[in-house]
Amino acid sequence: MADNIMLNVQEGFDLKKLTEQLADMYRAKGFTVNASSLNNSEVLTFDKGIGGINMVLGMDLGIKATFTVQNNTLVVTLSEAAWTGKIIGLCVGWIVCFVPFFTAAYGAFKQSQFPKDLRNDITLLAGQQ
């Protein structure tokens, strides 16, 4: 499920600057951030703790954000969140032992909060321009 953020921005808004600042902010928080440009859009992929035991325990975080500016409106689409590990952890934890269940539940909570935190940071950085 995709989540959209829409913010009014000034004429001449620097989308590249926003995505660079956001990428730097999340790299400082320990995330791996991959950036790419596609047509008039910027795409950032945020990952933390992807793969291995973190995925089995549901402690990985990840999301893809696509940024575009249309008619002085910044549109950010958040998609492809990392929910697979949480589902695996909840199932394994329920069947085998409760440790993965609880870590996956905590990971699910953190993943559900991640788009809200990202939205707040985008709003903050966009407002500074």
Side-chain angles (χ1 to χ4, degrees):
M1 179 172 79
D3 185 23
N4 288 327
I5 303 167
M6 300 177 99
L7 300 169
N8 292 324
V9 294
Q10 299 294 325
E11 186 72 33
F13 180 79
D14 190 351
L15 183 60
K16 187 76 171 168
K17 181 179 176 183
L18 171 70
T19 56
E20 287 172 356
Q21 288 176 329
L22 194 62
D24 290 342
M25 177 186 289
Y26 276 83
R27 283 185 187 113
K29 294 179 181 183
F31 283 81
T32 300
V33 181
N34 295 312
S36 61
S37 296
L38 181 66
N39 297 328
N40 292 331
S41 301
E42 296 291 325
V43 180
L44 296 179
T45 305
F46 302 88
D47 294 316
K48 185 174 187 180
I50 298 296
I53 192 72
N54 285 332
M55 186 178 138
V56 174
L57 294 177
M59 296 300 291
D60 55 340
L61 286 175
I63 201 159
K64 178 179 175 182
T66 305
F67 298 78
T68 56
V69 176
Q70 304 166 353
N71 301 324
N72 292 337
T73 302
L74 172 65
V75 179
V76 183
T77 303
L78 303 176
S79 61
E80 299 180 24
W83 285 103
T84 306
K86 282 77 172 166
I87 295 168
I88 292 169
L90 288 169
C91 292
V92 168
W94 186 257
I95 294 168
V96 179
C97 71
F98 283 110
V99 173
F101 181 83
F102 290 117
T103 60
Y106 178 72
F109 171 75
K110 294 288 284 179
Q111 182 66 48
S112 70
Q113 294 299 311
F114 187 39
K116 295 171 189 169
D117 295 340
L118 191 57
R119 176 189 302 263
N120 291 339
D121 292 335
I122 291 168
T123 303
L124 175 74
L125 292 174
Q128 290 177 354
Q129 283 196 30

